[in-house]
Amino acid sequence: MSERNVVDLVTERVLEDLPGIAAKVVEASILPITERVAAEVAVRMGAAEPAPEPAPDPKTDARDRALRTTVQGAAATVLIAVLLAVAELLGTGALDLSTGGAWKAIAGTAGGAALMAAMAYVQRLINPPKG
């Protein structure tokens, strides 16, 4: 009979606790949904006015806005890089990655996108949405 090692003991313990953990996660997920459904039913039945959405945390909202702006800026930077590469390919018939002009344009676009993300973050901190 082989001796049990730490991995076996931890695995056994996790498998024992897994049903309880899963039940807690499911219960925690269902409660907010049940409350929202009950509130929506009450509103549709005319029993209550809809509860206003709580205002988001300003820092979290600002971070989310900055992340969205960063993703949009990254997409724009990639699009401009592709368009510059296609333009160079069509204009010269070759794609030379060592030229500085295209890289300067891409760097400028990326810098502008980063600046816009920072400005979006600061703007949301200064003037959070009303809720």
Side-chain angles (χ1 to χ4, degrees):
M1 179 180 218
S2 66
E3 290 188 37
R4 300 172 67 198
N5 60 24
V6 173
V7 174
D8 293 335
L9 294 172
V10 170
T11 302
E12 183 179 299
R13 177 64 186 206
V14 168
L15 290 175
E16 287 174 359
D17 292 346
L18 194 58
I21 293 170
K24 288 178 185 176
V25 169
V26 169
E27 184 178 323
S29 301
I30 289 175
L31 184 62
I33 294 170
T34 305
E35 291 172 353
R36 288 183 65 192
V37 168
E40 184 68 24
V41 168
V43 167
R44 290 182 187 248
M45 298 296 289
E49 292 295 317
E53 290 289 324
D57 174 47
K59 283 190 177 184
T60 303
D61 182 61
R63 201 175 313 116
D64 290 344
R65 169 71 109 186
L67 179 63
R68 287 192 308 267
T69 304
T70 301
V71 170
Q72 292 167 351
T77 302
V78 168
L79 179 63
I80 288 174
V82 168
L83 291 175
L84 287 173
V86 168
E88 184 178 344
L89 189 60
L90 292 175
T92 63
L95 185 59
D96 184 13
L97 297 177
S98 64
T99 59
W103 287 110
K104 287 179 185 176
I106 292 168
T109 304
L115 179 63
M116 288 306 297
M119 289 174 63
Y121 179 79
V122 170
Q123 187 271 333
R124 279 295 220 211
L125 282 179
I126 292 172
N127 187 15
K130 310 286 188 275

